[in-house]
Amino acid sequence: MTGPRHGAGFFEDDRPARPSPPPPAPQPPRPALRPARLGAIFVILVAAVGGGVADRVLHRPVLAPAPPTAVTEVAAAGVESSSWYCAGGTPAAGSLAEETLGLVNTTSRPVAGTLFAVSDRGRRGAVGLVVPAHGQLLEVPGPLVGGNFVAATVELDGGGVLVNESVASTTGWSTTSCSRSTSSNWYFASGATVNGGTLALSLYNPATTEAVVDLTFVTPAGLSEPQPFEGIVVPAGSLAVEEVDRYVQDQSSVSAIVTARTGSVVADELQAVSTHGIHGLSLRLGVPTLFPAWSVPRSIDLTGGTTAITVFNPSLRPDRVSVEIRPFRSPPAEFSQAVAPRSAWVLETTQQTRIPDGIPFLATVRVRGGPGVVVDRITIAPSSFQGPQFGAVTALALGPAQPATPVAVLPSPGTPGHPTVPGAGLGALSLFNLGTQPAHVRVWALATTAGLVRLASATLPAGASLTLASTASTGVRRAAGLSRLGRVPVLVSADQPVSVLEDLVPTATGGVVSLAGAPAGAP
Amino acid sequence: MDASAPAVVAVVVTRDPGPWLEETLAALAGQDYPELVIVVVAAGGLIDPTTRVARVSPEAFVRRIDRALPFSAGANEVLGLVEGAAFFLICHDDCAPDRSAVRLMVEESFRSNAAVIAPKVVSWDDPLVLLHVGMNVDKTGAVVDRVRSPEIDAGQHDGQRDVFVAPSGCTLIRADLMTELGGFDAGIVAMGEDLDLCWRAQVAGARVVVAPDARVRHLEVIAPGVQPVLEDADAGVTLQALQRRHELRTVLKCYSAFHLLRVLPQVAVLSIGEALVALIARDRARARAVLNAWRWNFAHRAELRVLRRAVQRSRRVSDNQIRHNQIHGSARLSEYLSNVSHLGFEVTHARVGALGRDEETAEPELTGSIAGAFSEDDSFDDWDDRGRFAPRGPRQSRVLASRRSRLVAGLAVALLLVIGVRDLMSGAFPAVGQLLAPLSWSGTWHQFFASWQPAGVGTTAPSSPAFAALGALGTILLGGMGLAQKVLVFGCVPVGAWGVSRLLAPFGSKRGRLFGAGAYLGLPLVYDALAHGRLDAMVTFALAPWVIAALMRASGADPHAVGMGRHGRQPRTQVLALGVLLAIGIAFAPAMAVVVLVCAIGIWAGSGLVGQARGAGRVVRASIGGLGVALVLCAPWVIGVALAGPRALAVLGLPSAPSGAPSWTALLRFDLGPVGGSPLSWLLLVAALLPLLIGTGPRLAWAGRLWTVALFSWGLAFVVARGWTHSFAPSVDVLLVPAAVAVAACIGLGVAAFENDLVGQRFGWRQLTTSLMMVAALAGMIPVVAEVSSGSFGLPASGFSGSLQFLAARGGDSYRVLWLGDPAALPLGGWSAGAGLAYATTEDGPPGAQDLYAPASPGPATQLASAVALARAGGTSHLGRLLAPEAVRYIVVLETLAPSLVGVQSAPSYPVPADLVPALDQQGDLRQIPGGEGFVVFANTAALPERAGRSGGPVRGVVASSGAAAGIVRPATGDLRGWHAVLGGPAGSEGYFGPVGAGTAYVAMAPGGDFQLSVAGVGASARPAFSWATQFDVRAGGAGALRFAGLPFAGLGALAELLLWLVVVAVLADRRFAVRARLRALAAARPSETTVRPAPRSPSDRSAGPRHERAGAR
């Protein structure tokens, strides 16, 4: 063979010629395959059933309801803007409850903003402000607008700022956080109109939409919906103050429900007591959401005084509620009761023999079936004690609804130069570990010049409470750093979620003027 | 003459009579009635009958008339001839009364006080066969014989009774009445003169009775056409036509005005229905007769008016009483339905002739009667239902197999569908989902060619090719864009069913095609899509069967194992055609690109599952090829999408909230909306298993493949609905369409398997299962059929356009509306802001069709989503301020598909993330506007106009560089003050005009550099604002003109795309004509094939049968 064969491979040129292999024997035509019936049916059925199983096993995520936000939570430092709404107080010096706003900047940069004030007569005023870094600014909105009552909106060009409001008069004084949001529902667990006591609800509508509000009261006499408190129109950007004691008279316990049919408002309750030698003021921001668990880290029963925990069920379903009292180094006592819909249970701990007098105790309230409740604590000291004897504070909500933030901010009652009342300052700092692990807690002072200054630190067992004060006493640990604390804001950080309640002085006794720490992000 | 007997004059009208005349005259002459005189009226004709009359009846009188007269006019001659007669006996010349007939009739007249007497009429040849014993009439004038001819006389009609019509062959009538009525209506030449006379007699208060003892034999030479009726120009008119027009003439004459007003519309409706049915049955003569009756009477309206006046003048009895003598309902319709139910459609139309009597046909008629079915006599089957011997071989049932019966079934389904959407037929669609008010014809084309569109805050991305498709459809419909939208929406349903039918064509069962198409229509998917306004799902519903059919052909697997496609196309042309199909689909539903891949992969995997993988790879290649062609055909838009990068997936669909995802069982049942939630929907799935159980060969193989396609479709829809694919979220409605096609096709394959694969098998579980499955398939359609009553298949009656009309801009104002909601609820195209939340913008008010297809990338509009996210996270209390640069005046949060109106409509709910509305509520510069249920509207009190001017200086807003607001434009305090709207113009324009004052003009339209402003003819210097918008320094005020000055890439691309389409369509059309010509040539070259029938085959080969037949047909 002299040349490549047609179709031969490239290398075959050099190979010796070989006989070509015989052609393959003709194959019989391959029969057409029959479709696999059983296999197909099996696979289809398995896939169909498998899909159903997967559907069952892998649950669809349900639409998450809006998380209950803490209306006093301090906005993160990096936000674009934040606003605070303060509804309670009177504008004039020497009036029933002259209002002062305290703005605490937890960040390391100054935050500018504007204070808009409005009176119950519709007058408006505004003033620009700058909250210094790690500092506190006091603003008195009353002079801007006058009137009988005043409300304010603080708009800030950023976050990291807490705004609270304090009221003071010769009757007493009180302080509470302002709100960062409006709501269509607000609940107040306690109040009283006996012996000429004053009870007023401030309804502030900072939004641009008109609100129509109904007020409902729960007293020992039953449900009360006075006609004048139905369909209260609160125009956009205005304040309406309703004097409850005019229509709900001589009631030892008045729980209130604020419901906005349209729009939303911020509601504060101002209570003044001045009778039988007992006097005091209470300003409280309402609770917009029901919670299943609450705590009051520190209370004391005084002989001759009254301490009461009010559990209010504003819902239309009954709650099974238990209150656990854990006195310092004493066996706990538990009280339980079914709280009917739209009713309140007032537990006077002073009347309970299982709770020793003079020993601080931790109170936790848990709902064991039902939509949730609102809880607060009233403290009345004997009239022989000096200082305001009456005060009330909303308990601290617990559980998943409580932001698990490791930081709480506590403004000081005024500044050294301008105290809310003469001599106002921190009396004791009570902490309650909400987590399941021991919490390492640090207490810082916010100083404009020096930034964060550590005052004290402690380790708090899971589920336990701890009270720090500059001087030790029963159930109170001495924290030397606190002695150095002037009238500067306090910041509490922890590696576990803790709730913080501070008792302020001067008062007749601890708990008369208390303030819950506002949750905040890391400074 | 007996003085006691009243005189009777027998009038025999004749014209060139046949041999029967003598017998007639003899019968009359032989009457036992003494006072009978015979008058013969020879009305024209060529032969004088006098001699013949004289021979039989010498005493008879003969009246000879030279001109030809019809029977009615001839009979009327007696009125001028005779005086003193008490009765006239009006006779045809082919009627022979029995000897005592006249006497008995006269006696009956006196006994019943009747003016018109009808005898019993029997057959001339066989007196045992009854012809007439009086006749009845319904309200429309349709005559109904009391005798079901041929009927044997067994005395069953021998009772005296009132009838409405005395047949004109032999009638005794009182002479005075005859005179009063003026005799017969001379305008009625034949067929109906007796009805007319009797009706008028009854109007005049006379009674018409039958005397069955009086018997008359009748030859009936006219009705069968033995003797012509007309000789002039009307000679071509059929007896049927004569009868119909004379019936109508009588109705028009005899009813009072009120009753005529009531009855005439019913007659009209029945006529139209009858004409339509006749046309379907190809009975053109009947259709012509019915329609010409109206035309003829209209032409004779003047004459009719005179006659009617005379009848009404003679009225002594109200129509109410006359109606008592008529039969209720429509006699003709009842008879027709009875015949259809007993004999079937085809036999009914074959044997029911012009007069409702049998007509001879050449072919044996086999009605499949019950008697036949139960006969044990083999030879019985060799006799047709008309008693003729017609030996036949093996015969297949024609039920639902003939073209005509399938056409009827199709029309019935179409009627159901029309009833089902009756509320949507008139007026515009409610603005629900994608059913937005269409643009004008020019606006649609402009949108397609536009180089700038206002989506988001403005973009130069090319428009969706859907606008071209809509524009083309509108062009075909002469600019009727509303009609085009309706055609598109409603047309999807039959086109889809047709596609399934074509998909099943190669499997050799016409019933299978019918069942498959019916099952496709019986699935709730398309109706749920309609209820939700999902145009993309409806278009996919229409096109997916064709796409799957194309893929099946591409596989080449049995029975598609032919060298060419259905139209003889080469594979390359097939791919081109598939690409065109996909391009149309992708234009409206981009997720069709996913659908075709799902189908191809499903067929490929299914081929492996059933062990017949040969050719499966070709399917995947064809799908990719087709997809490539489609993408080229949509090139400009595709390029724009590709440039969006990872955001390109958004054009396929936006992720909905997984919490609202349908369950697996809901997906299996295609239960995505208000239709089909019933458990009965499972039955269609069950029925689709049939071919897997009983099928063999290609039917089993394809059933396995199609089931695999369905599983892939369900599986992908399940995964997407759960949100596991994140931003890859094609519409679930679209993804389910292949499953729907597969299920419907499997039901059709089941029927095909029953016909082809069970032949020769003994009765057993397979046949039983088939029966059960077919019942299941029918029962599975009940939920859909039941929903027909709603009139709209659950589509809400009104959309948001009405409730939100207050958003529309007025007086030259310009702004944007930001829409937030679940992607399924948004009535416009948008972009995702996270699972379950999408956003979109419109200019100057509610959305229109121009907002339907958003570009893949929102461009600078991402700022909107970022700002909203910031508000949800609590990062701002002034969202309005952040949205101000984008000119967002309103924020609309949609929580339902349409507004919920108490007592009127409730729309499906699509909840937005729970924190959205509270977050917006907390914004200090947003004001909530009270609205209705299902939506929340906020007004932005800080918003800028879209085109604004102020006397102050420029804006200085900055982009936040850190913190939660990083990347968001933050206007400075003074940036939002002092602005007013300038440069008005319609939304979406590329030019705006109006006075502009000195200072700064702000234009919130992107891309900023592409707009130029000139004021008083002087160009204003531009500078960026808020990093994406434009502001112009206006030194001196004057007339301003703002124009888009960017390069028109999109418009040029659209033009190129259009030209490409024209080329492709031309190529396909050319190929199609070429192939047809080739096939015709082949058919001509092999004429014998047209008659060749396939030899008997084994069951597995049967599917090849139709191919042979089609080849022959070509």
Side-chain angles (χ1 to χ4, degrees):
Chain A
M1 187 169 285
T2 57
R5 292 167 294 166
H6 290 293
F10 181 77
F11 295 104
E12 283 192 41
D13 285 357
D14 304 328
R15 295 178 189 171
R18 288 186 303 182
S20 56
Q27 297 287 325
R30 194 168 59 175
L33 289 174
R34 292 177 59 190
R37 183 196 310 275
L38 291 180
I41 292 176
F42 177 76
V43 169
I44 288 164
L45 290 181
V46 165
V49 173
V53 171
D55 191 27
R56 291 292 178 109
V57 173
L58 306 169
H59 292 287
R60 269 173 293 172
V62 294
L63 187 67
T69 53
V71 293
T72 59
E73 184 174 355
V74 178
V79 303
E80 190 270 340
S81 59
S82 57
S83 297
W84 290 87
Y85 311 113
C86 312
T90 55
S95 59
L96 176 66
E98 184 190 0
E99 181 166 70
T100 303
L101 303 183
L103 293 82
V104 179
N105 185 356
T106 63
T107 69
S108 58
R109 58 174 178 78
V111 177
T114 307
L115 167 67
F116 299 92
V118 61
S119 75
D120 59 338
R121 293 180 178 175
R123 287 196 61 189
R124 299 165 200 279
V127 62
L129 50 85
V130 176
V131 190
H134 290 145
Q136 180 163 343
L137 178 71
L138 291 187
E139 289 287 345
V140 182
L144 290 174
V145 293
N148 295 322
F149 284 86
V150 64
T153 296
V154 179
E155 291 185 354
L156 299 159
D157 294 339
V161 175
L162 167 69
V163 180
N164 84 322
E165 53 186 334
S166 303
V167 291
S169 69
T170 53
T171 307
W173 70 289
S174 181
T175 183
T176 187
S177 291
C178 295
S179 176
R180 273 196 61 210
S181 64
T182 59
S183 175
S184 55
N185 294 295
W186 294 95
Y187 308 108
F188 299 92
S190 71
T193 56
V194 290
N195 301 322
T198 300
L199 187 65
L201 281 172
S202 299
L203 309 172
Y204 177 40
N205 178 9
T208 50
T209 308
E210 180 180 87
V212 179
V213 179
D214 296 332
L215 303 183
T216 304
F217 303 99
V218 176
T219 67
L223 199 69
S224 172
E225 294 177 324
Q227 190 273 332
F229 297 149
E230 294 292 306
I232 302 165
V233 177
V234 188
S238 67
L239 169 69
V241 179
E242 302 301 325
E243 297 179 29
V244 179
D245 50 84
R246 289 196 176 185
Y247 294 91
V248 187
Q249 298 176 340
D250 293 324
Q251 296 295 331
S252 60
S253 170
V254 180
S255 304
I257 303 171
V258 178
T259 307
R261 293 184 205 168
T262 62
S264 58
V265 295
V266 175
D268 276 0
E269 186 180 80
L270 179 66
Q271 183 180 1
V273 173
S274 182
T275 180
H276 303 304
I278 295 174
H279 55 92
L281 268 183
S282 164
L283 177 66
R284 276 169 291 165
L285 174 66
V287 178
T289 316
L290 305 183
F291 289 95
W294 297 80
S295 79
V296 183
R298 182 171 184 264
S299 303
I300 300 177
D301 285 346
L302 292 177
T303 305
T306 301
T307 301
I309 292 173
T310 305
V311 180
F312 176 40
N313 175 12
S315 74
L316 297 174
R317 289 167 52 197
D319 279 317
R320 185 76 194 172
V321 180
S322 70
V323 179
E324 187 191 57
I325 305 293
R326 275 197 274 170
F328 180 69
R329 290 180 180 169
S330 300
E334 184 166 324
F335 308 87
S336 63
Q337 182 158 321
V339 183
R342 300 219 156 178
S343 67
W345 171 34
V346 181
L347 176 65
E348 287 194 21
T349 56
T350 322
Q351 301 295 321
Q352 306 300 322
T353 55
R354 286 186 283 171
I355 304 172
D357 285 353
I359 304 294
F361 61 84
L362 162 70
T364 52
V365 179
R366 294 189 190 278
V367 176
R368 304 194 187 281
V373 293
V374 180
V375 179
D376 70 6
R377 182 200 64 188
I378 300 168
T379 303
I380 302 174
S383 57
S384 57
F385 283 45
Q386 291 299 309
Q389 294 94 356
F390 165 79
V393 66
T394 302
L396 307 172
L398 303 179
Q402 177 73 8
T405 173
V407 177
V409 185
L410 295 135
S412 68
T415 59
H418 300 282
T420 303
V421 293
L426 175 63
L429 197 62
S430 300
L431 311 166
F432 178 48
N433 182 0
L434 308 175
T436 55
Q437 300 290 325
H440 302 285
V441 182
R442 290 176 180 173
V443 181
W444 310 79
L446 283 171
T448 307
T449 51
L452 290 173
V453 179
R454 197 169 84 175
L455 300 176
S457 60
T459 299
L460 192 60
S465 65
L466 173 68
T467 300
L468 301 172
S470 56
T471 55
S473 61
T474 306
V476 177
R477 181 188 296 182
R478 180 173 179 275
L482 290 183
S483 62
R484 292 189 283 116
L485 184 64
R487 291 185 185 87
V488 293
V490 172
L491 193 143
V492 178
S493 66
D495 56 1
Q496 292 286 312
V498 295
S499 57
V500 184
L501 184 73
E502 66 174 351
D503 288 339
L504 298 164
V505 292
T507 57
T509 183
V512 170
V513 177
S514 298
L515 179 65
Chain B
M1 184 178 285
D2 185 348
S4 63
V8 175
V9 177
V11 184
V12 178
V13 182
T14 184
R15 182 175 72 224
D16 291 341
W20 50 81
L21 177 66
E22 282 77 4
E23 197 167 345
T24 298
L25 292 174
L28 288 171
Q31 290 293 311
D32 61 4
Y33 190 74
E35 293 295 327
L36 179 67
V37 176
I38 302 171
V39 176
V40 177
V41 178
L46 302 173
I47 303 165
D48 185 355
T50 306
T51 314
R52 291 173 63 186
V53 174
R55 197 161 45 234
V56 181
S57 176
E59 295 178 356
F61 298 93
V62 176
R63 164 76 167 167
R64 178 89 169 90
I65 301 169
D66 292 337
R67 66 183 191 281
L69 288 178
F71 171 79
S72 52
N76 287 346
E77 286 293 318
V78 74
L79 296 175
L81 287 178
V82 178
E83 288 184 357
F87 291 96
F88 292 128
L89 181 70
I90 311 295
C91 290
H92 287 185
D93 62 1
D94 58 348
C95 280
D98 283 1
R99 178 178 163 75
S100 59
V102 173
R103 178 174 56 80
L104 290 171
M105 285 196 284
V106 172
E107 287 173 2
E108 188 58 46
S109 168
F110 282 96
R111 186 161 42 241
S112 306
N113 190 23
V116 183
I117 309 296
K120 176 196 289 184
V121 182
V122 297
S123 169
W124 182 272
D125 299 320
D126 184 356
L128 275 178
V129 176
L130 281 173
L131 296 183
H132 307 290
V133 192
M135 293 190 292
N136 288 326
V137 159
D138 70 5
K139 61 184 167 190
T140 68
V143 178
V144 184
D145 217 318
R146 295 180 62 218
V147 173
R148 300 288 296 178
S149 178
E151 185 175 325
I152 302 301
D153 182 13
Q156 68 270 37
H157 295 293
D158 282 357
Q160 177 275 330
R161 58 166 293 171
D162 281 34
V163 292
F164 202 91
V165 180
S168 64
C170 181
T171 306
L172 184 75
I173 181 169
R174 234 170 44 211
D176 59 333
L177 176 67
M178 182 81 167
T179 305
E180 183 185 338
L181 296 178
F184 288 101
D185 181 347
I188 300 178
V189 292
M191 314 305 295
E193 73 281 359
D194 44 7
L195 166 69
D196 178 80
L197 182 73
C198 292
W199 197 322
R200 285 189 289 127
Q202 290 177 83
V203 169
R207 194 176 166 196
V208 181
V209 298
V210 63
D213 293 339
R215 195 176 69 168
V216 174
R217 291 185 300 127
H218 193 183
L219 185 56
E220 292 195 319
V221 295
I222 292 178
V226 175
Q227 193 172 60
V229 177
L230 301 167
E231 295 176 338
D232 54 8
D234 284 344
V237 178
T238 63
L239 295 179
Q240 178 176 219
L242 288 175
Q243 183 181 15
R244 302 311 291 267
R245 74 189 193 189
H246 294 154
E247 282 176 5
L248 183 59
R249 180 186 177 98
T250 304
V251 165
L252 292 170
K253 276 166 58 180
C254 295
Y255 274 125
S256 64
F258 172 74
H259 276 79
L260 190 62
L261 205 63
R262 194 171 61 85
V263 171
L264 202 58
Q266 300 178 45
V267 179
V269 169
L270 285 169
S271 297
I272 292 169
E274 185 178 359
L276 284 176
V277 172
L279 286 174
I280 292 167
R282 299 179 183 176
D283 188 353
R284 293 192 183 88
R286 176 180 290 261
R288 258 199 308 271
V290 172
L291 298 177
N292 279 344
W294 289 84
R295 186 191 56 76
W296 185 84
N297 279 289
F298 183 76
H300 290 75
R301 59 188 180 280
E303 175 192 351
L304 253 176
R305 204 174 299 127
V306 174
L307 292 170
R308 177 177 161 72
R309 214 172 288 141
V311 173
Q312 299 307 321
R313 268 201 305 270
S314 70
R315 179 176 295 279
R316 290 193 183 85
V317 175
S318 73
D319 275 340
N320 284 333
Q321 285 175 278
I322 291 175
R323 285 285 289 116
H324 283 302
N325 295 333
Q326 295 172 340
I327 57 176
H328 295 287
S330 167
R332 194 166 278 125
L333 181 62
S334 302
E335 184 183 5
Y336 174 75
L337 293 177
S338 170
N339 284 336
V340 168
S341 66
H342 286 89
L343 306 175
F345 181 82
E346 297 188 21
V347 172
T348 297
H349 283 273
R351 74 189 295 241
V352 177
L355 303 175
R357 298 174 186 145
D358 290 1
E359 290 177 342
E360 291 300 324
T361 55
E363 296 296 322
E365 290 167 2
L366 307 168
T367 62
S369 66
I370 294 173
F374 286 90
S375 169
E376 294 181 355
D377 182 0
D378 287 345
S379 66
F380 189 95
D381 290 340
D382 291 339
W383 293 83
D384 77 358
D385 290 349
R386 304 182 65 195
R388 297 172 301 182
F389 186 69
R392 45 191 162 167
R395 179 175 67 88
Q396 283 194 332
S397 168
R398 301 285 295 164
V399 177
L400 294 177
S402 71
R403 184 172 179 171
R404 202 172 295 171
S405 57
R406 280 184 291 135
L407 186 63
V408 170
L411 283 174
V413 172
L415 185 64
L416 265 182
L417 291 173
V418 168
I419 294 171
V421 296
R422 62 187 181 279
D423 292 350
L424 307 175
M425 301 289 275
S426 61
F429 282 120
V432 173
Q434 297 174 318
L435 302 180
L436 296 178
L439 296 171
S440 66
W441 175 79
S442 58
T444 305
W445 280 114
H446 173 265
Q447 184 70 22
F448 177 62
F449 288 109
S451 293
W452 180 84
Q453 47 179 321
V457 290
T459 178
T460 53
S463 292
S464 164
F467 291 109
L470 283 170
L473 187 57
T475 304
I476 292 168
L477 297 173
L478 305 177
M481 294 308 294
L483 179 62
Q485 189 188 35
K486 289 233 164 78
V487 167
L488 179 64
V489 171
F490 294 141
C492 287
V493 181
V495 168
W498 183 22
V500 171
S501 172
R502 293 291 289 270
L503 180 151
L504 291 168
F507 292 94
S509 167
K510 291 173 179 171
R511 292 186 189 88
R513 294 176 65 180
L514 189 66
F515 263 80
Y520 197 50
L521 293 176
L523 292 168
L525 187 64
V526 70
Y527 312 106
D528 285 336
L530 176 61
H532 291 175
R534 301 302 309 180
L535 187 59
D536 54 354
M538 297 193 73
V539 169
T540 311
F541 179 88
L543 297 182
W546 301 87
V547 169
I548 294 178
L551 294 178
M552 289 167 70
R553 281 197 298 275
S555 73
D558 193 14
H560 301 89
V562 290
M564 295 189 294
R566 187 191 154 275
H567 295 295
R569 294 193 190 115
Q570 299 297 335
R572 200 172 300 166
T573 313
Q574 283 184 353
V575 170
L576 188 63
L578 175 62
V580 169
L581 208 57
L582 285 175
I584 295 171
I586 287 171
F588 289 99
M592 263 206 81
V594 180
V595 165
V596 68
L597 294 177
V598 167
C599 296
I601 295 171
I603 292 173
W604 175 75
S607 299
L609 181 68
V610 297
Q612 299 204 334
R614 203 181 312 166
R618 282 197 293 268
V619 177
V620 178
R621 285 196 294 277
S623 69
I624 293 172
L627 200 53
V629 171
L631 296 183
V632 169
L633 287 174
C634 301
W637 174 77
V638 170
I639 292 169
V641 170
L643 291 176
R647 291 176 183 272
L649 287 177
V651 298
L652 301 177
L654 303 176
S656 281
S659 56
S663 66
W664 174 252
T665 53
L667 291 175
L668 291 184
R669 290 182 292 127
F670 306 100
D671 175 20
L672 299 180
V675 185
S678 163
L680 286 176
S681 302
W682 282 111
L683 295 178
L684 283 169
L685 282 189
V686 173
L689 289 169
L690 183 62
L692 291 176
L693 299 175
I694 68 168
T696 60
R699 282 162 293 278
L700 173 59
W702 276 108
R705 292 184 183 105
L706 288 170
W707 265 101
T708 312
V709 169
L711 288 173
F712 273 69
S713 170
W714 282 317
L716 186 58
F718 181 67
V719 168
V720 168
R722 286 300 187 94
W724 295 337
T725 51
H726 304 291
S727 57
F728 173 72
S731 164
V732 171
D733 310 64
V734 173
L735 289 181
L736 278 184
V737 173
V741 177
V743 167
C746 282
I747 290 173
L749 283 176
V751 175
F754 175 72
E755 285 189 2
N756 293 279
D757 299 339
L758 297 189
V759 174
Q761 295 202 17
R762 284 184 298 178
F763 187 82
W765 68 269
R766 290 179 179 83
Q767 287 80 357
L768 197 61
T769 304
T770 303
S771 306
L772 291 175
M773 294 288 196
M774 288 306 103
V775 172
L778 293 174
M781 299 180 201
I782 288 176
V784 167
V785 174
E787 194 62 27
V788 163
S789 62
S790 78
S792 63
F793 287 112
L795 181 69
S798 62
F800 284 113
S801 56
S803 305
L804 298 175
Q805 198 53 47
F806 68 91
L807 299 179
R810 294 177 188 84
D813 204 355
S814 59
Y815 51 82
R816 289 194 176 90
V817 180
L818 173 62
W819 301 80
L820 298 169
D822 189 278
L826 281 191
L828 70 168
W831 306 276
S832 178
L837 184 64
Y839 69 102
T841 64
T842 56
E843 272 191 315
D844 298 345
Q850 72 276 9
D851 303 306
L852 206 48
Y853 303 100
S857 171
T862 48
Q863 290 271 340
L864 303 174
S866 303
V868 170
L870 186 69
R872 289 174 61 192
T876 181
S877 60
H878 295 92
L879 176 62
R881 190 168 68 192
L882 301 183
L883 301 180
E886 285 82 11
V888 173
R889 176 81 55 87
Y890 296 102
I891 302 174
V892 181
V893 181
L894 300 179
E895 297 178 302
T896 55
L897 189 66
S900 293
L901 308 173
V902 177
V904 178
Q905 69 177 23
S906 61
S909 173
Y910 293 96
V912 293
D915 59 351
L916 178 63
V917 174
L920 299 180
D921 235 349
Q922 297 301 326
Q923 303 306 313
D925 46 12
L926 296 185
R927 178 172 56 87
Q928 187 175 342
I929 298 175
E933 291 286 322
F935 62 91
V936 187
V937 181
F938 294 91
N940 182 4
T941 58
L944 296 179
E946 188 177 332
R947 295 172 295 281
R950 72 175 179 185
S951 55
V955 300
R956 296 190 303 275
V958 295
V959 179
S961 58
S962 63
I968 295 176
V969 173
R970 297 181 59 182
T973 310
D975 285 347
L976 307 181
R977 292 180 187 155
W979 296 100
H980 61 275
V982 296
L983 298 165
S989 302
E990 294 182 15
Y992 301 91
F993 308 94
V996 180
T1000 304
Y1002 172 71
V1003 176
M1005 299 194 297
D1010 284 353
F1011 284 90
Q1012 288 181 352
L1013 173 67
S1014 63
V1015 180
V1018 179
S1021 60
R1023 69 169 83 174
F1026 302 124
S1027 81
W1028 62 269
T1030 315
Q1031 55 186 331
F1032 298 92
D1033 293 328
V1034 182
R1035 300 188 181 283
L1042 178 74
R1043 289 188 178 86
F1044 175 74
L1047 293 171
F1049 287 125
L1052 293 174
L1055 190 62
E1057 179 183 352
L1058 203 61
L1059 293 174
L1060 183 63
W1061 269 94
L1062 292 175
V1063 169
V1064 169
V1065 169
V1067 166
L1068 282 179
D1070 178 59
R1071 291 285 176 94
R1072 188 180 179 90
F1073 291 136
V1075 168
R1076 281 190 169 178
R1078 219 168 88 202
L1079 292 174
R1080 271 198 298 273
L1082 278 172
R1086 290 180 291 174
S1088 60
E1089 275 199 16
T1090 57
T1091 55
V1092 168
R1093 294 186 63 82
R1097 295 160 301 214
S1098 67
S1100 62
D1101 293 337
R1102 278 180 168 266
S1103 61
R1107 283 211 307 278
H1108 285 280
E1109 289 175 359
R1110 279 203 312 278
R1114 288 173 198 155

